[in-house]
Amino acid sequence: MMKKLICPSLMCADFTNIKREVTELDKAGIDIFHMDVMDGAFVPNMALGVEDYKSVRSLTNTSMDVHLMVNNPQNFVPIFANLGANIIYIHPEADPMPTRTLDEIKKDDIHPGIAINPGTSIATIKELLPLVDYILVMTVNPGFAGQSYLDYVNDKIKDLAGLKEKYQFNLMVDGAISPEKIKLLSGFGVDGFIVGTSSLFGKDKSYREIVKELKEL
Ligand SMILES: O=C(CO)[C@H](O)[C@H](O)COP(=O)(O)O
């Protein structure tokens, strides 16, 4: 069976009970905590920040990423490196020299990743493929939970899956990832799924039940 990394998007969690949320998600066997940091400029919203990152990091030893939905992400890398991030995603669309930033991330022994918007083509990121351990394909326009899945991104996901063996990256998807999409996209060769309101949070079942079901899809 292909690996299926389940990564809860903590912007969708109940932050009034973050200790319980993180503990229950850990018990459910999730793989990576996904932390969306927004600047209100690269995307028209604000979500998690440094203090949220510190809180979650203090509650778990599980892998944590940070998805920097910010302009000039190179300025924020040292902050999240110091906070114990295991994977740092930058948007190449927002960085004047993503090759340098990815090298800086790697120097800190952190996995470098790129997140790419629905309208970003593979051609524009081709040179970055040998530099990254993770590619996060946005299947909604980033910034908000609860949007609709953009089907036109499927062709790009299939094409990237075809490049995984050559470049050895993990292929991840983020945005309106329902159980049906996990099943479909696993078949395309996607390794990891950022799960928010579409499959994990605000449901009537426990995280343990849901994560088990998603892994078995
Ligand atoms: O990156 C995001 C928004 O930009 C969120 O991680 C994601 O959209 C949350 O999941 P859902 O779409 O299922 O509510």
Side-chain angles (χ1 to χ4, degrees):
M1 212 210 289
M2 289 263 314
K3 72 180 154 188
K4 211 177 275 150
L5 302 170
I6 299 295
C7 314
S9 179
L10 286 193
M11 70 178 276
C12 302
D14 176 2
F15 257 80
T16 63
N17 274 310
I18 195 61
K19 188 170 184 179
R20 192 191 64 202
E21 292 280 70
V22 170
T23 307
E24 291 304 311
L25 288 163
D26 260 337
K27 280 197 214 148
I30 62 95
D31 297 284
I32 302 166
F33 284 103
H34 181 76
M35 299 289 282
D36 284 319
V37 170
M38 305 180 188
D39 64 355
F42 179 66
V43 291
N45 195 10
M46 289 175 151
L48 308 175
V50 167
E51 295 307 318
D52 306 308
Y53 210 92
K54 276 189 205 158
S55 301
V56 176
R57 182 74 288 174
S58 72
L59 295 168
T60 182
N61 291 321
T62 302
S63 234
M64 271 176 81
D65 70 23
V66 59
H67 176 187
L68 292 173
M69 291 187 209
V70 301
N71 283 329
N72 294 308
Q74 70 279 9
N75 297 336
F76 297 86
V77 164
I79 297 174
F80 289 95
N82 283 332
L83 291 178
N86 303 97
I87 303 163
I88 299 183
Y89 292 106
I90 61 158
H91 273 268
E93 304 95 337
D95 189 326
M97 210 182 291
T99 45
R100 174 178 287 157
T101 310
L102 293 168
D103 281 345
E104 291 296 323
I105 296 170
K106 206 171 193 130
K107 263 193 225 150
D108 281 331
D109 274 336
I110 296 167
H111 294 291
I114 49 171
I116 55 171
N117 286 336
T120 298
S121 66
I122 297 176
T124 63
I125 55 152
K126 190 99 197 294
E127 285 70 19
L128 305 181
L129 297 182
L131 305 180
V132 298
D133 292 337
Y134 289 81
I135 298 185
L136 179 64
V137 179
M138 293 308 301
T139 47
V140 297
N141 288 309
F144 299 92
Q147 303 182 77
S148 299
Y149 185 91
L150 298 170
D151 282 310
Y152 64 81
V153 184
N154 284 350
D155 284 347
K156 181 167 65 186
I157 294 172
K158 284 187 213 161
D159 290 347
L160 279 169
L163 294 167
K164 273 193 338 178
E165 202 171 323
K166 178 168 180 196
Y167 292 104
Q168 295 290 309
F169 54 80
N170 292 284
L171 184 56
M172 317 291 280
V173 286
D174 183 9
I177 301 299
S178 62
E180 295 70 34
K181 293 298 179 205
I182 293 179
K183 198 163 182 187
L184 175 80
L185 299 171
S186 286
F188 293 173
V190 171
D191 303 295
F193 303 88
I194 312 304
V195 287
T197 61
S198 308
S199 50
L200 183 63
F201 293 98
K203 310 292 177 206
D204 288 335
K205 286 186 217 166
S206 69
Y207 293 148
R208 190 187 287 271
E209 282 172 284
I210 296 175
V211 170
K212 184 170 181 288
E213 283 172 14
L214 297 181
K215 293 232 176 210
E216 283 167 359
L217 283 170

